[in-house]
Amino acid sequence: MFQASDFIPSKYKNFIGSGSFEWSAPSNIALVKYWGKKENQIPANPSVSFTLKNCKTITKLAYAKREKDTNFSFDLLFEGKPKEDFKPKILKFLERIELYLPFLKDYHFTIDTQNTFPHSSGIASSASGMAALAMNFMSLEKELNPEMTDTYFYEKASFLARLGSGSACRSVKGSVVVWGKQENIKGSSDLYGIAFPNTIHEIFNNYQDTILLVDKGEKQVSSTIGHDLMYNHPFAEKRFAQAHKNLDELISIFENGNLDHFMKIVESEALTLHAMMMTSMPYFILMKPKTLEIINAIWKFRNATQIPVCFTLDAGANVHVLYPENVKVPVLQFIKDELVGFCQNGQYICDEIGEGSFAK
């Protein structure tokens, strides 16, 4: 296991003038939720997520050597056009990671990024965006230090991504990713995500996630503020203990493929996340009435058909409908017949488990 100090490099061996890299990084959906964090983007509890395949950010990083300056130098393009309102978040990210990538002020960067999912769709792009940017920066560092191992490359990339957006560390490598120290999961760390190291039953291969876009507007409460409200939350310690317990139970569920137990934990985690929001001070609600309509329809369908379909939620109103590939036909028919009407402009996205980030 790496410590933060292991990611501070000594002198680089190579000189690199200019060039470019391009990486795609996916979004992810947490099954056990992370809600509440400590200093330096350290999670208050561990989490585990499915990596998605189709919802991803593609980022090209062009770099050109310059005289070292006291300031960072970069241009930011979103879908080929300047995007000034994204720049403060990128600047904050660069400030956080400079200790670990001391070459950052030696170059001017052009960051050109785009998403495969609709902008302002209500799908969080910070995880995929920060992961893609971290992968590009690590590609440049690997050019400067060619002896770097693959393990170091990916775990440092996850470490850096976490400093941009906590959940971004789960978008680097692996189909099922654990972030946060968990006693029964070898190699787990608060500093970066790791591919789930234990056995995963074949029922979870190509697991499907259909994302119902209930509300594509800006959230009235940011995730950062929501995390901060866990500091003095009356139920925080119980919640953190619950996350550890649920993650422990998922270890055996992933091995034996017990979908009834899987669905109970996943849905309970989603509802607990929103219960924490509703019981913080100040309190807030990110679900919408149509979110609840969808949940009730899923429960009714599952009870009537015994088809193993369940839901999870992120910190918003959208619903992720999770189900194994072998029931894809009836579930998609159910979604078209009964759930699309609850989606804004009838929009939904079909996705499934992916493997993580890829160089383009």
Side-chain angles (χ1 to χ4, degrees):
M1 280 179 58
F2 292 108
Q3 303 302 316
S5 58
D6 295 325
F7 296 133
I8 301 173
S10 51
K11 286 186 177 180
Y12 295 120
K13 298 188 175 180
N14 280 3
F15 172 88
I16 306 295
S18 62
S20 66
F21 302 101
E22 188 172 12
W23 280 83
S24 74
S27 190
N28 67 76
I29 181 64
L31 308 172
V32 170
K33 307 295 184 180
Y34 130 76
W35 198 244
K37 57 187 173 185
K38 305 170 188 176
E39 277 189 293
N40 299 320
Q41 300 283 91
I42 297 296
N45 68 267
S47 58
V48 64
S49 61
F50 279 161
T51 306
L52 298 183
K53 184 176 183 179
N54 302 325
C55 290
K56 59 191 176 184
T57 298
I58 300 166
T59 299
K60 183 175 182 179
L61 179 77
Y63 57 91
K65 189 78 171 171
R66 63 176 190 139
E67 290 298 316
K68 194 172 182 92
D69 198 347
T70 56
N71 298 312
F72 298 105
S73 177
F74 67 95
D75 295 315
L76 182 65
L77 306 175
F78 180 69
E79 296 180 348
K81 298 176 183 175
K83 191 73 173 172
E84 292 299 313
D85 54 334
F86 280 10
K87 290 187 81 170
K89 189 163 188 176
I90 300 297
L91 180 59
K92 190 177 207 177
F93 179 48
L94 296 176
E95 290 168 349
R96 284 177 174 172
I97 66 175
E98 184 188 9
L99 174 65
Y100 307 103
L101 298 176
F103 61 80
L104 288 175
K105 287 180 178 172
D106 296 343
Y107 292 90
H108 174 78
F109 297 105
T110 302
I111 303 164
D112 193 349
T113 189
Q114 58 182 306
N115 297 329
T116 60
F117 47 90
H119 182 51
S120 299
S121 64
I123 297 175
S125 59
S126 57
S128 54
M130 288 300 177
L133 189 52
M135 299 307 293
N136 278 297
F137 283 139
M138 283 306 299
S139 290
L140 178 51
E141 185 170 66
K142 190 170 175 66
E143 290 287 313
L144 295 167
N145 181 20
E147 296 174 3
M148 182 186 298
T149 66
D150 283 351
T151 299
Y152 183 91
F153 178 92
Y154 282 103
E155 294 193 354
K156 182 170 178 178
S158 179
F159 171 87
L160 296 174
R162 189 199 91 238
L163 294 173
S165 172
S167 58
C169 74
R170 298 191 309 243
S171 286
V172 169
K173 187 175 177 63
S175 55
V176 179
V177 179
V178 177
W179 171 37
K181 182 64 181 168
Q182 179 77 357
E183 193 173 320
N184 296 328
I185 298 179
K186 187 178 179 181
S188 59
S189 172
D190 288 341
L191 299 179
Y192 47 83
I194 63 163
F196 183 74
N198 299 29
T199 302
I200 298 178
H201 192 279
E202 64 183 5
I203 194 67
F204 295 107
N205 293 345
N206 300 320
Y207 219 77
Q208 304 292 299
D209 178 7
T210 299
I211 308 161
L212 307 180
L213 304 180
V214 174
D215 182 29
K216 302 193 297 176
E218 196 77 20
K219 288 187 296 194
Q220 71 265 38
V221 177
S222 74
S223 293
T224 299
I225 292 171
H227 283 293
D228 289 346
L229 290 174
M230 288 297 284
Y231 281 118
N232 299 308
H233 200 294
F235 309 132
E237 293 309 314
K238 288 285 188 185
R239 163 58 201 150
F240 301 148
Q242 178 197 39
H244 280 279
K245 178 176 179 290
N246 284 341
L247 185 48
D248 265 347
E249 291 187 19
L250 276 174
I251 294 171
S252 58
I253 291 168
F254 281 138
E255 184 172 1
N256 62 34
N258 185 331
L259 290 185
D260 286 337
H261 198 179
F262 173 79
M263 293 187 296
K264 285 177 183 174
I265 287 180
V266 168
E267 291 188 342
S268 171
E269 277 286 319
L271 295 174
T272 300
L273 170 68
H274 285 262
M276 292 298 104
M277 300 173 191
M278 290 186 237
T279 49
S280 63
M281 187 60 74
Y283 42 80
F284 58 103
I285 300 175
L286 294 185
M287 284 192 281
K288 300 292 183 185
K290 288 179 180 177
T291 308
L292 296 174
E293 297 263 22
I294 290 169
I295 289 171
N296 280 309
I298 289 171
W299 285 341
K300 183 179 178 183
F301 175 78
R302 188 168 72 214
N303 288 335
T305 63
Q306 299 304 301
I307 290 174
V309 56
C310 70
F311 72 89
T312 190
L313 309 167
D314 56 16
N318 295 334
V319 181
H320 290 249
V321 185
L322 301 176
Y323 50 98
E325 188 179 35
N326 61 12
V327 296
K328 183 175 180 178
V329 172
V331 172
L332 281 178
Q333 194 60 52
F334 158 63
I335 288 169
K336 290 172 186 173
D337 291 345
E338 298 189 39
L339 302 185
V340 168
F342 298 119
C343 300
Q344 194 169 335
N345 301 323
Q347 283 191 290
Y348 63 97
I349 297 171
C350 291
D351 213 330
E352 60 186 286
I353 283 190
E355 293 294 330
S357 300
F358 291 96
K360 300 291 283 184

